[in-house]
Amino acid sequence: MQNLTYKILEKHLLKGKLEAGQPIEIKMDQTLTQDATGTMAYMQFEAMGVKKVKTELSVSYVDHNTLQNGFMNADDHAYLQSVASKYGIYFSKPGNGICHQVHLERFAKPGKTLIGSDSHTPTSSAMGCIAIGAGGLDVAKAMAGIGYRLTCPKVVEVKLTGTLAHGVSSKDIILKLLELLSVKGGVGKVFEYTGEGVKNLSVYQRSTITNMGAELGATTSIFPSDEVTREFLKRQQRESDYIALSADEGCHYDETVEINLDELTPLAACPNSPDAIKNVSELAGMKVDQVAIGSCTNSGYEDLMKAASILKGKKIAHNVSLVVSPGSRQVLMKLIENGTLATFVSCGARILECTCGPCIGMGQSPKSDAVSLRTFNRNFYGRSGTLSAGIYLVSPEVAAASAITGVITDPTTLEYVDEFEKEQSYIDDSLIYAPSKDSENVEIVRGPNIKPLPVNTPMDSTIDKKVVIKLPDNITTDHIAPAGAKVLPYRSNIEKLSTFVFENNKPHFDEVCKENNGGIIVAGENYGQGSSREHAALAPMYLGIKAVLTKSFARIHLANLVNFGLLPLIFTDKSDYDKIDEMDELKIEIVNSLYDSLDLIVENVTKNETYKVHAPISQEDIDILMAGGALNYIRNQQ
Ligand code: SF4
């Protein structure tokens, strides 16, 4: 008797034993990349010298950076399109939609494995597959046919009973879990949804939940593949991809959480963390400046139809700016076809492209001190582009209701129609380009924004560096390597990107690193949470950071540090964190000791103290670190 997660993992197991906490390696059937992480992933793939991708399907999406204010983004897009054509990868053009929405609609298949260089790749697990977010190098490795190494996860059953009430959304299910478990509550775990309540959720609703499972820090989340899945695939004209998949009756789960959907009420994640949850009724009446409906969390057909039902025949409040970004061109076309787009335009909404847009700070930054209601998944400090703005994460229903009243509004008492076709059926793949059949003759386009890939040097036997920055708990990859319109154009130019590292925590961090010939980072709990961007390891590596010493790490960032040859260490006694100050000189002896033991001693030369630390890595990680990162390691093996 097996749970669904282990059923799929077993079918893809290359190395190791399916036992929670054990290292395993699995085969990846599909890969996806987006433009902000894709350029680096494909440069790494090129460096591996493989002629063609070895996956069943690989797709390169352009959705993050489409502003094209300057030649840089356009250079990146041209590079991505030519690389895809040459190496056997499908290319989804800018305007075709957000990677996770398009992948869910057009490519995700029950029972398969998918790895994507974006932390919200688990969105596709709504389809009954194992979809995992990772750094670009891990995706490049998967494209080269190399298995993906991970810690075998614990499986948490999330048992759903009952039915969502009018005005309550699947967003509220995942916000409830975040309230119960926090942004660290899912580390090392897969959340598997079961129970009668599952049947009442459409694939789009399920995908909101699997999408934001990333905010729990989970490896992934998964729903069974059932009649609802079949119907979704049928509407997408790919019913032949359907297979029924579910957990065996009476199978083992490591933990169980029960949520009664009948009892749920609308919730909001308050600034600046997705787990700072309050009831919308508690916030009701707070003046709102901006409302944004979209992102890979809530931009599916059903989300936009619900929002439109509330907005129909109304006008937005004078104090509110409302923007709507559909998740895919298919959804947008369906909204045009059935007249819903007119509802949005008529109520005063501004229609944005089918891209990530404001979710990654690409335009639509709110005004100073604004209250911004967003249907997105992250509300980290500064992510909107306005440091003083407060971002509240809510459902499309709460967002739409509040856009009309101008204050935070509970939609449960509003009268509106929420009965409509649950799945959209407009199919158009004309902006998805198949790879060239004549790959030898495809020339890769490298504009001036495509800079050479920096590679680390093998690890020194002793790390003796200063603490160039000391950081608190819950530092995100947005803190380390910021996003937004100013920075995103340089994702394929690490030299330039490195000038923005920690810009909101410590201005001129890059210069501090240069003056000290690199250094060591010290941080609190959950270091590197949030986006999968490997630039958060790559740019510090470029600045000469050799080790990162924390109370704990987020999963993807930990893997990225190893991939780029930065030694990750955690305090054995967390109170030692308090004893270290910025600019203390730390000395760590490495010679052979990692192979003997992952427990090391850090000497604080400045304070004449020592601390016990632990490297949370596997045996193969040691080889990678010693080689100076995964690229060197792979090259050495070839
Ligand atoms: Fe794009 Fe935002 Fe989703 Fe990331 S979280 S893929 S930036 S919409």
Side-chain angles (χ1 to χ4, degrees):
M1 282 185 297
Q2 266 181 322
N3 56 49
L4 176 54
T5 306
Y6 278 24
K7 274 188 192 182
I8 300 175
L9 287 179
E10 186 165 69
K11 281 226 159 82
H12 292 83
L13 197 63
L14 297 173
K15 277 188 202 162
K17 212 170 149 205
L18 283 183
E19 238 174 61
Q22 293 302 310
I24 55 169
E25 190 174 312
I26 56 171
K27 178 182 177 293
M28 283 296 175
D29 301 320
Q30 301 186 343
T31 66
L32 74 76
T33 57
Q34 38 86 344
D35 49 306
T37 57
T39 45
M40 215 32 82
Y42 294 113
M43 280 191 233
Q44 290 165 152
F45 178 75
E46 284 188 275
M48 289 175 194
V50 179
K51 282 217 151 100
K52 206 160 188 265
V53 289
K54 295 185 175 166
T55 42
E56 287 176 17
L57 173 92
S58 288
V59 191
S60 168
Y61 295 91
V62 178
D63 55 4
H64 276 56
N65 198 352
T66 56
L67 292 185
Q68 302 195 212
N69 46 358
F71 65 90
M72 294 82 80
N73 302 155
D75 274 8
D76 286 0
H77 302 169
Y79 168 75
L80 290 169
Q81 185 165 351
S82 58
V83 158
S85 184
K86 190 169 185 70
Y87 290 110
I89 299 153
Y90 283 80
F91 180 70
S92 173
K93 236 186 170 177
N96 194 49
I98 303 173
C99 57
H100 308 306
Q101 283 295 315
V102 178
H103 206 85
L104 180 75
E105 291 181 350
R106 305 309 299 143
F107 297 113
K109 289 184 189 176
K112 296 290 180 185
T113 50
L114 161 70
I115 185 168
S117 62
D118 189 282
S119 52
H120 291 102
T121 303
T123 313
S124 283
S125 289
M127 191 68 81
C129 60
I130 297 272
I132 299 179
L137 186 51
D138 281 323
V139 177
K141 281 157 68 181
M143 289 190 286
I146 300 169
Y148 176 60
R149 293 182 302 114
L150 73 160
T151 304
C152 185
K154 285 186 175 172
V155 183
V156 180
E157 177 187 28
V158 185
K159 201 170 181 178
L160 303 180
T161 55
T163 317
L164 292 171
H166 174 79
V168 186
S169 153
S170 66
K171 181 72 161 268
D172 301 310
I173 300 175
I174 188 66
L175 291 179
K176 186 74 197 173
L177 266 180
L178 277 156
E179 181 184 24
L180 293 172
L181 305 175
S182 90
V183 290
K184 288 187 300 182
V187 176
K189 297 173 185 175
V190 170
F191 289 78
E192 188 169 313
Y193 289 81
T194 70
E196 284 300 302
V198 165
K199 291 188 187 138
N200 301 322
L201 298 174
S202 68
V203 170
Y204 282 123
Q205 286 178 312
R206 295 174 184 185
S207 74
T208 298
I209 296 170
T210 52
N211 174 282
M212 269 193 94
E215 272 52 67
L216 291 165
T219 305
T220 192
S221 309
I222 188 167
F223 275 83
S225 172
D226 56 11
E227 282 308 309
V228 175
T229 321
R230 184 207 291 271
E231 182 58 25
F232 181 89
L233 285 167
K234 197 170 157 193
R235 295 291 180 110
Q236 291 292 322
Q237 295 175 12
R238 51 190 195 100
E239 196 179 357
S240 58
D241 287 342
Y242 174 74
I243 49 167
L245 272 179
S246 59
D248 294 328
E249 191 82 21
C251 67
H252 171 76
Y253 287 105
D254 295 287
E255 293 164 40
T256 296
V257 183
E258 287 195 36
I259 297 183
N260 183 348
L261 304 187
D262 295 326
E263 292 170 2
L264 270 189
T265 53
L267 299 171
C270 301
N272 290 314
S273 184
D275 61 358
I277 306 296
K278 281 197 176 152
N279 282 315
V280 165
S281 55
E282 285 174 66
L283 301 167
M286 185 189 288
K287 195 157 172 268
V288 175
D289 301 288
Q290 184 192 48
V291 175
I293 300 175
S295 91
C296 57
T297 315
N298 280 121
S299 62
Y301 174 69
E302 194 179 332
D303 293 321
L304 300 187
M305 289 300 288
K306 279 186 180 160
S309 300
I310 294 171
L311 294 165
K312 199 169 177 123
K314 313 261 178 25
K315 299 287 175 206
I316 57 170
H318 286 202
N319 55 301
V320 169
S321 162
L322 170 65
V323 290
V324 177
S325 34
S328 73
R329 188 162 152 272
Q330 290 196 153
V331 168
L332 176 59
M333 287 304 295
K334 182 74 183 178
L335 298 181
I336 292 170
E337 197 182 68
N338 70 13
T340 304
L341 194 69
T343 302
F344 285 123
V345 176
S346 151
C347 79
R350 295 154 62 191
I351 310 299
L352 305 180
E353 283 188 278
C354 304
T355 59
C356 304
C359 179
I360 187 111
M362 299 303 283
Q364 310 309 320
S365 296
K367 70 177 190 186
S368 301
D369 303 319
V371 169
S372 175
L373 257 54
R374 299 176 163 214
T375 65
F376 306 171
N377 47 34
R378 288 190 173 141
N379 57 351
F380 300 142
Y381 177 69
R383 189 173 162 102
S384 70
T386 305
L387 293 180
S388 65
I391 310 296
Y392 294 76
L393 306 175
V394 296
S395 67
E397 290 92 323
V398 173
S402 308
I404 299 165
T405 57
V407 292
I408 294 182
T409 300
D410 183 338
T412 50
T413 52
L414 294 183
E415 276 189 23
Y416 63 92
V417 186
D418 58 3
E419 284 301 316
F420 45 82
E421 248 189 318
K422 285 285 182 275
E423 317 289 10
Q424 76 90 19
S425 53
Y426 192 99
I427 307 303
D428 181 0
D429 289 335
S430 60
L431 289 189
I432 300 175
Y433 298 162
S436 169
K437 293 199 170 70
D438 181 20
S439 58
E440 292 287 320
N441 287 320
V442 175
E443 209 166 296
I444 295 178
V445 182
R446 287 177 221 277
N449 199 44
I450 309 294
K451 295 282 189 239
L453 181 69
V455 179
N456 210 343
T457 48
M459 185 168 274
D460 294 330
S461 53
T462 303
I463 295 175
D464 188 345
K465 298 273 175 204
K466 289 205 168 135
V467 176
V468 278
I469 191 165
K470 186 179 176 189
L471 297 151
D473 291 348
N474 294 322
I475 286 293
T476 71
T477 47
D478 278 281
H479 290 107
I480 309 170
K486 191 176 69 175
V487 190
L488 224 48
Y490 300 109
R491 283 289 177 86
S492 45
N493 181 346
I494 298 300
E495 184 185 351
K496 177 80 178 167
L497 190 93
S498 68
T499 63
F500 298 99
V501 171
F502 290 124
E503 65 168 1
N504 292 327
N505 302 79
K506 193 181 179 83
H508 310 298
F509 176 75
D510 58 322
E511 284 167 22
V512 177
C513 290
K514 274 178 208 148
E515 280 159 22
N516 290 284
N517 192 22
I520 293 173
I521 293 170
V522 172
E525 299 278 8
N526 202 19
Y527 179 76
Q529 67 162 329
S531 147
S532 69
R533 71 191 68 145
E534 60 193 351
H535 302 78
L538 194 47
M541 177 208 96
Y542 180 82
L543 293 173
I545 300 297
K546 293 295 176 193
V548 184
L549 174 55
T550 72
K551 291 183 185 175
S552 64
F553 288 98
R555 175 185 66 88
I556 300 176
H557 188 62
L558 175 62
N560 285 339
L561 289 174
V562 172
N563 275 341
F564 292 100
L566 284 77
L567 178 65
L569 296 169
I570 49 177
F571 290 102
T572 307
D573 178 352
K574 289 180 181 177
S575 66
D576 285 341
Y577 166 89
D578 300 321
K579 298 176 186 162
I580 300 178
D581 291 309
E582 269 185 21
M583 287 302 146
D584 281 359
E585 180 186 343
L586 303 185
K587 198 167 169 187
I588 310 155
E589 297 281 350
I590 304 291
V591 183
N592 284 334
S593 54
L594 279 180
Y595 289 106
D596 297 340
S597 166
L598 295 172
D599 296 316
L600 302 175
I601 300 291
V602 171
E603 185 189 345
N604 188 332
V605 179
T606 311
K607 299 223 163 67
N608 200 15
E609 295 173 342
T610 56
Y611 319 114
K612 284 186 184 164
V613 297
H614 178 77
I617 54 175
S618 69
Q619 283 299 305
E620 195 176 355
D621 288 340
I622 300 174
D623 297 338
I624 293 172
L625 282 168
M626 288 303 190
L631 264 184
N632 290 341
Y633 175 68
I634 292 165
R635 281 182 187 152
N636 294 347
Q637 283 190 323
Q638 279 169 352

